[in-house]
Structure formats: C-alpha cells, structure tokens
Amino acid sequence: MGSGEAFADAAAGLAMQAGTAKTSNAAAGTGDWAAPKGGVVTGDAAEEAQKWVQLTATRLEGLGKILVNGAGLTLYRFDEDTAKPSKATCNGECAAKWPPVTVKAGGKIFIAGVAKKDVGVVKRDDGALQVTVKGWPVYRFAKDVKAGDAKGQGVGDTWFGVRPDGGKAGVEATEPTTAPEQGNDQQGNDQQGNEQGDQQGNEQEQGDKQESIPAKRVVLFSGFSFNVFDDDAGSQVIEPATAPDGGCVNALDPGTASSIAFDGLVKVWTGADCTGESKELGAVDAENVGGIADLRDIDFNNKIQSVKLLG
C-alpha cells in the first residue's frame, strides 16, 4: 500500500478503548507521557511514545471544543493535508515544528468524547502511522509545553486546533453561497445533476450507516473534560465483567460525576439500582457519541448514581 493511503490493515490492528490512559493504567513514561513538555520525541522515548495515543475532547477558552492528548497538549490539523483521501503533507522541517501524532501497528488509542468510527490512521511518507480524526492527520505543536497551551492556533492561517468531529477549532463554519439563477435548460440539467448527486449521497449514506451497539466500557469522571486538567479527580471504570445480571452498576461515589466516556449504548440514572430519572446515551448518530465532557450539557452534572450497560 502506498504512502498517504488509508492504512486499513494497521487500523484494524489498533486497540481503541473508551477512557483515558490513566483510567486504563498505562505505564508511566509511555505513550503521550513520553514527552509531556512538548518538543519532538527522539531516541528510546520515540519508541515508547508510539505505544499509545490519547484523544480527549475538552474545551479551551476562545476555541471551544478541541482535542488534546494524554499530556493535555493541544492537537492540530493542517489545511494543506487532505481528509478524503487522508494524506499527511507535513514532513522534514515542518514535522520538527509540528510533530505528527503517530502510533505503532497494534498500539492503543484511548478515546473520550470522540466517535470511534471517526478515528483511524494514515501511512506517512516515512512509513509511520499517523492518527487521523475524520480523515484529518493530527499533529502537536512543538512550542506547546503545558496542558492548555494552544500557541499553534491560526499559525500561517493553515494550522488550527482539531475538533472532535475533525473540524477546525475556533473557526465558525460558513454555509456555501447560493449560485445565481440560470436559464431553464441549464436549470433542468442542474436539477438532473442534483437528483443524481442526491441518489449517490443516499447510497453512500446507506453504505456508511452503522448500528448502535451496547457499551463495553463506561468511565465516570468526577471532573469536567474527562479530568484532563485535574490530576486529583477520581474515576470509575464499568465493564460487563464487573456488572451484575441486568447490567446495572451503582456509582462508587454517587452524585459526583461531571463527565462520562463510553463506547456504545449506556443508560444513566439519578437513583441507585437504576431508578429515578434516566437518560440513554451513546447512539452512533447522537451528538454526544463517545462521551460527554461536561454533564451540565444534558443537565446531569453530579446526578449519576447508577449506570446500566444496555444489552
């Protein structure tokens, strides 16, 4: 397979897991923790850094929703890259300033607040596998040295923080302008073209349609933004192996969750033993697919007392 093409076989070998490196007990000094102060990872640390990558949705003042890595460093996308097909064009000196987020085949990607279906990898010119979000290759900025830094935002008017949906952070989307009216014959041709385009779009949509599946892993966090900026906040991992018959699990610290990550359908309750007010989360077509960084968004902050994995 040539450079720049979607690397499906390697992507299939990656283990994607809901939650963070911390909740998954990743080893110290590995993955995104190998170079938490920014810069380019070299030597033995480079090998350790590719064992895992973390993609976590959070909010930064002035930028809104944005992705950060396991060290809380801002992640970026480059306008000169392409998403369809995925192609990374930042190499050489460019990659020294904007280190690509890479992971080895068979490595892990921890995701919180990001849809699993939107995460993948692309093969770079040097053979490394670069993580993509909605097809866009993802980078760090070498001058970002601490959690919350976003010094790369807007550089060259081509570099922008990447949103959980692959879009540009801090940039409002604009609607396409309406084309001027044309003659009747041209309008008829346009109409026919539009109908064909709509049909193709529907066929593509049907082909891409995915069914919602029960969650295999749910993580409750006592802090906002999946505890990205709060090392002291607590968490609770819920998996089928730890759930009793019926799938209902009571929170260890009821009423303290401010964010939640999940990889499928889950139901949360305001009362113990799955009683009280409830909300179903995690449908593949839902806005909150992958997790909710701020449970105030659904009026459930500090309300979750029990969780049910939907089977």
Side-chain angles (χ1 to χ4, degrees):
M1 182 173 292
S3 297
E5 297 179 3
F7 207 61
D9 291 342
L14 293 173
M16 296 193 194
Q17 188 163 303
T20 66
K22 185 176 179 181
T23 61
S24 302
N25 298 315
T30 63
D32 293 339
W33 297 335
K37 294 183 179 180
V40 178
V41 186
T42 60
D44 293 340
E47 179 68 21
E48 293 296 321
Q50 294 192 78
K51 289 184 176 180
W52 58 264
V53 169
Q54 184 174 318
L55 301 175
T56 304
T58 187
R59 283 191 176 98
L60 290 181
E61 185 175 355
L63 296 181
K65 290 183 179 180
I66 200 168
L67 290 180
V68 299
N69 73 358
L73 297 174
T74 300
L75 300 178
Y76 299 88
R77 48 168 279 180
F78 185 32
D79 279 357
E80 293 187 15
D81 288 346
T82 58
K84 295 182 179 181
S86 293
K87 173 64 178 176
T89 62
C90 179
N91 300 288
E93 291 184 5
C94 175
K97 296 178 181 178
W98 301 91
V101 175
T102 57
V103 63
K104 66 179 182 180
K108 292 184 178 181
I109 301 180
F110 302 114
I111 52 178
V114 188
K116 183 178 179 180
K117 65 181 179 63
D118 291 340
V119 179
V121 291
V122 64
K123 192 174 184 181
R124 292 176 51 79
D125 289 349
D126 62 4
L129 301 180
Q130 184 168 355
V131 175
T132 62
V133 176
K134 206 75 172 182
W136 287 101
V138 175
Y139 303 80
R140 292 186 295 107
F141 185 42
K143 293 184 179 180
D144 286 346
V145 297
K146 66 180 185 300
D149 280 353
K151 299 174 183 177
Q153 176 69 10
V155 169
D157 202 28
T158 55
W159 290 93
F160 299 90
V162 61
R163 291 170 48 88
D165 60 4
K168 300 178 188 180
V171 177
E172 293 186 7
T174 57
E175 295 295 330
T177 55
T178 302
E181 293 186 4
Q182 299 174 344
N184 291 336
D185 290 342
Q186 184 64 42
Q187 288 178 348
N189 292 335
D190 289 346
Q191 180 65 29
Q192 182 179 2
N194 289 338
E195 290 175 355
Q196 292 174 346
D198 290 343
Q199 181 178 357
Q200 291 174 349
N202 291 336
E203 291 174 353
Q204 180 67 32
E205 184 178 350
Q206 291 175 357
D208 292 342
K209 187 175 181 181
Q210 298 183 4
E211 294 184 0
S212 299
I213 59 174
K216 295 181 179 179
R217 198 169 198 261
V218 178
V219 188
L220 299 177
F221 300 87
S222 64
F224 296 115
S225 299
F226 310 105
N227 298 349
V228 170
F229 305 114
D230 186 355
D231 292 335
D232 296 327
S235 61
Q236 177 182 356
V237 177
I238 300 171
E239 297 175 312
T242 60
D245 291 341
C248 184
V249 178
N250 287 331
L252 295 178
D253 296 307
T256 65
S258 290
S259 54
I260 180 173
F262 42 77
D263 58 7
L265 290 174
V266 63
K267 201 167 187 177
V268 294
W269 305 77
T270 59
D273 302 319
C274 295
T275 60
E277 182 185 355
S278 65
K279 285 185 184 291
E280 186 174 303
L281 311 171
V284 295
D285 57 350
E287 183 179 352
N288 58 43
V289 64
I292 301 175
D294 188 337
L295 282 168
R296 291 176 296 192
D297 290 345
I298 62 169
D299 192 29
F300 245 65
N301 183 44
N302 293 333
K303 290 184 178 181
I304 297 178
Q305 296 205 37
S306 53
V307 174
K308 186 173 184 179
L309 305 178
L310 299 182

